[in-house]
Amino acid sequence: MGVIDTATEIRPFHVDIPEEELVEMRRRIAATRWPTKELVDDRSQGVQLATLQELARYWETDYDWRKAEANLNALPEFTTEIDGVEIHFIHVRSEHENALPLIMTHGWPGSVIELLETIGPLTDPTAAGGTAEDAFHLVLPSLPGYGFSGEPVEVGWDLGRTAKAWAELMRRLGYTRYVAQGGDVGAGVADTMARQAPEGLIGIHTNLLVPALSGSMPTDTDEERAAVAQIATFQQSGNGYFVEMATRPQTIGYALLDSPVALAAWMADHDTDAYYKIASAFVDGKAVGNLSRDHILDNITLYWLTGTGASAARSYWEAYGPDAPAAGSQPLSPPPIPVGFTTFPGEIWRTPRSWVEASYPNVIHFNEVDKGGHFAAWEEPELFSEELRVAFRSLR
């Protein structure tokens, strides 16, 4: 009888939050000490009092985590240890023959919650009006330190280490030919995977142009200059969360672990487009796309119940912090494999095609769609899924 290597074993996973943890969460929400109202009529001082108080009221009295828990448990969930960290992932195989394996990575302040509505359209495109030839086998991992994945216990879990872990995950699942997608932090992981070019990875798609954050881009056209201006605005007045988490994640971590409302405020204050959509869902009761009150709180509650506010914040220190081990590393060469890109109008900046082509030598898909923002897969899952079907069609 052979010995099972438990370090690489893939184990089923089931979400089961004790009721007392939900009771304690609601108690803490009710006990929130509120600041006075902001002194401006917009979000320029941060998350507005009316938005957060309505979010807290709904969270305490109306929201039901058990629905989210049931939705997660209806999916095939697993964990496996990779490089010393327990990795949680959802793995949904398509019923269609010759489906293309796809690993998709969420970002911050997201989680696998933001990708759930794409599972149907991607694994069963015929139900969404597509063809069986466009089907994907889907792997949705939780980033290290996020959600139900374990927290790294040592420094060094940068984008490169996560990218290698994802390649190992796909190898363990038996996939010898696959593609990758990412937005936000996930875009950094997908970009790095493409540059590492592990055996089996044949293409990537992203909806955030990672190279634009660190390198100079062309400014020859009006479109390019507008994008530069949008990035400048973000870096001047929109990236407070980014600077804090990249330099002092432990400091903000105390508030994120101690107060549900502090966590909700921190997560809601990401980008202007997403913030106003979240505010609309709570203050006006109007969901934009799939960003409903319940879906927004599913994501925030996942962070609270898993206690991962601080560990998720540390991922920014690892990836972008000036004091992290990765800060002194040389940039990897441009990806040798095909790259697809979709730009959504509500993103932090609208990426011109010229920038994508300047960043990647083999662009197989570029499209600018008419709706959706930073959380495109969450907000517009059908449109997002169609972009991936088209982007990877030539690689099948």
Side-chain angles (χ1 to χ4, degrees), residues 178-190:
Y178 63 94
V179 293
Q181 146 66 27
D184 191 80
V185 175
V189 175

Side-chain angles (χ1 to χ4, degrees), residues 245-290:
M245 295 199 299
T247 57
R248 296 293 185 270
Q250 190 71 14
T251 302
I252 189 61
Y254 298 107
L256 304 184
L257 270 290
D258 190 61
S259 165
V261 169
L263 175 70
W266 190 248
M267 293 174 68
D269 196 11
H270 182 269
D271 66 278
T272 300
D273 178 73
Y275 169 73
Y276 282 123
K277 287 171 179 173
I278 291 169
S280 174
F282 287 99
V283 177
D284 304 323
K286 296 179 181 177
V288 179
N290 199 43

